Amino acid sequence: MTEGISVIIRCKDEERWIGYAVQSVIDFIPKNEIIVINNKSRDRSIEVIKSFRRDPDLRSNNENYTEIIIQDVNDYSPGAVLNKGVELANFEKILVLSAHCVITHFDYSKLSQNLEKYAAIFGNQIPIYEGKKITKRYLWSHFCDSQVDNMYSKSEDRYFFHNAASIFNKCILKQHKFNENIVGKEDRYWANNIVEVGKTYLYDPLNFCVEHHYTANGNTWKGVG
């Protein structure tokens, strides 16, 4: 398996932020491929994505572009499309990134070291509403400033994990796939299953952070004050 990171982005009408997400991948992860799982987008999302696609016939400015794989799906569930992305991945490390998240800090060396002992890592999220950083209430209160093993959510009464910014070794995701039969929270169910089989995952705000931008169809927003 070649060294690098395969970045899986789920997309449905994400033209507002997906270009920023892709650019942040290029900025922070020099050796990458981006796998876009497209769920019937009707806006300019795919056009935006294709503007980042590397042309093998051009030798100059290739550092500003990357390998892009676009997979269209009609039968969508969050777990199923992530499993599909893993099947398409060419690298051993898998980064799952929300189409409206922008990487602001990513320490590849330390994250790689931590993945030697953890089943997965998820990073800090800074909620942004129309350019403004908002108070971390509700779901956002989980994203504290310290590292946490197997974070447990008292409000949800289960282990907490979040796929808007998470990284794994491919072998783990081949052994422990996401549930394809649920319509949401596939990340929480995955984390609870991982703990049940005796593995540990890490919340790491020190080495991985993103800005999570508000979208009207976002599932993680409850109040923006």
Side-chain angles (χ1 to χ4, degrees):
M1 189 70 68
T2 306
E3 186 69 16
I5 299 183
S6 297
V7 183
I8 301 173
I9 300 178
R10 294 171 286 187
C11 177
K12 183 178 177 65
D13 298 333
E14 295 277 5
E15 68 176 359
R16 175 66 182 89
W17 287 109
I18 198 166
Y20 293 89
V22 172
Q23 184 64 62
S24 73
V25 170
I26 294 172
D27 289 343
F28 283 91
I29 308 171
K31 191 165 188 177
N32 69 79
E33 65 175 1
I34 295 178
I35 302 166
V36 178
I37 309 296
N38 178 44
N39 179 25
K40 303 177 184 177
S41 291
R42 295 169 294 180
D43 63 1
R44 295 179 59 252
S45 295
I46 300 306
E47 179 183 346
V48 171
I49 281 288
K50 288 181 177 179
S51 71
F52 290 92
R53 178 176 271 165
R54 180 179 291 124
D55 187 337
D57 295 328
L58 297 178
R59 296 183 179 179
S60 62
N61 294 323
N62 265 353
E63 67 274 9
N64 297 322
Y65 301 90
T66 191
E67 302 300 322
I68 304 282
I69 300 170
I70 300 173
Q71 178 73 48
D72 294 320
V73 296
N74 293 316
D75 187 14
Y76 179 92
S77 80
V81 298
L82 287 178
N83 292 337
K84 172 61 70 175
V86 173
E87 291 176 6
L88 296 171
N90 292 302
F91 294 131
E92 171 58 25
K93 289 185 174 54
I94 306 288
L95 174 67
V96 177
L97 184 68
S98 168
H100 40 272
C101 280
V102 178
I103 300 171
T104 59
H105 182 59
F106 190 90
D107 191 321
Y108 176 83
S109 177
K110 291 181 179 178
L111 291 169
S112 295
Q113 291 175 9
N114 283 335
L115 279 178
E116 294 178 3
K117 59 180 180 178
Y118 290 101
I121 301 169
F122 72 108
N124 190 14
Q125 296 183 38
I126 308 299
I128 307 290
Y129 179 72
E130 295 184 349
K132 183 179 182 180
K133 295 179 181 179
I134 66 173
T135 304
K136 284 190 172 183
R137 298 187 297 167
Y138 309 112
L139 173 143
W140 305 107
S141 63
H142 295 91
F143 297 98
C144 57
D145 295 329
S146 302
Q147 291 179 324
V148 181
D149 286 5
N150 289 350
M151 179 182 287
Y152 193 84
S153 171
K154 292 183 180 179
S155 60
E156 294 189 357
D157 193 23
R158 58 184 170 187
Y159 290 100
F160 183 84
F161 189 83
H162 206 284
N163 266 338
S166 54
I167 187 168
F168 314 77
N169 283 320
K170 185 177 182 180
C171 59
I172 287 290
L173 293 181
K174 296 289 283 186
Q175 296 170 7
H176 304 279
K177 295 184 177 182
F178 291 102
N179 189 323
E180 300 188 358
N181 300 314
I182 54 179
V183 298
K185 305 295 189 295
E186 83 294 334
D187 39 17
R188 319 289 209 280
Y189 286 98
W190 186 88
N192 280 263
N193 290 336
I194 283 294
V195 174
E196 286 180 2
V197 299
K199 296 185 182 296
T200 306
Y201 64 90
L202 175 68
Y203 166 66
D204 187 357
L206 306 180
N207 299 305
F208 189 9
C209 184
V210 301
E211 291 183 344
H212 189 130
H213 292 269
Y214 171 82
T215 64
N217 296 322
N219 294 322
T220 58
W221 293 81
K222 181 181 178 183
V224 293

